Amino acid sequence: MMATKLIILFVVALAAGTALANDIGTVEVTGLGDRGSCPVRPWSQQQIAKREKIIPVKFDLPYAVKPKVALFLSATDVDHRYNMRTNTEVQNLTNEGFDLKIGVWCNTYAYWLKVTYVAIADNYQ
């Protein structure tokens, strides 16, 4: 796990052309509910409900100021018979952590999702 974290930090640093990212981590999400809990509507109509969770995330060390945070899905286990529609969002960002909001549409069945985050100090040039 530590070797993977270091490799990802190195790749992020190369891509950004800056010093290394300060924090990287993953959050595994299960239990977003059964598709049967939501009525399925045609794609052309607005979804009337969605299943979501909010998960608190703490950084390894606090930052002097609020960092910038990027999120991406790094692994999924979803039912292949249906469309996969997910959304992730950083909420309540502070210098010590944030709330990860993750949700799926009603016509998506997600058994397991893995979200990776990268936090970089805001004062990097």
Side-chain angles (χ1 to χ4, degrees):
M1 177 66 177
M2 185 57 136
T4 302
K5 189 173 183 177
L6 291 174
I7 290 170
I8 293 173
L9 285 172
F10 182 70
V11 170
V12 167
L14 286 177
T18 63
L20 292 178
N22 296 94
D23 200 1
I24 187 168
T26 59
V27 178
E28 295 187 21
V29 182
T30 60
L32 283 171
D34 183 348
R35 278 182 10 89
S37 65
C38 298
V40 177
R41 300 178 75 176
W43 69 270
S44 59
Q45 296 179 10
Q46 181 179 357
Q47 295 289 311
I48 58 174
K50 61 184 168 187
R51 300 180 313 272
E52 58 190 27
K53 281 188 170 185
I54 297 177
I55 302 164
V57 175
K58 292 287 184 193
F59 298 130
D60 291 340
L61 296 171
Y63 289 83
V65 296
K66 285 194 300 188
K68 300 212 184 280
V69 177
L71 302 173
F72 57 94
L73 286 174
S74 51
T76 63
D77 183 8
V78 297
D79 192 327
H80 72 279
R81 296 173 293 173
Y82 304 97
N83 292 326
M84 183 178 109
R85 295 185 176 111
T86 64
N87 62 328
T88 58
E89 183 180 334
V90 172
Q91 294 185 332
N92 304 317
L93 177 62
T94 69
N95 64 327
E96 296 181 354
F98 63 95
D99 290 334
L100 168 65
K101 180 178 176 181
I102 183 165
V104 297
W105 287 21
C106 281
N107 62 349
T108 298
Y109 195 100
Y111 303 104
W112 171 79
L113 301 170
K114 185 175 181 181
V115 178
T116 298
Y117 68 88
V118 178
I120 300 174
D122 194 29
N123 58 355
Y124 278 25
Q125 299 298 323

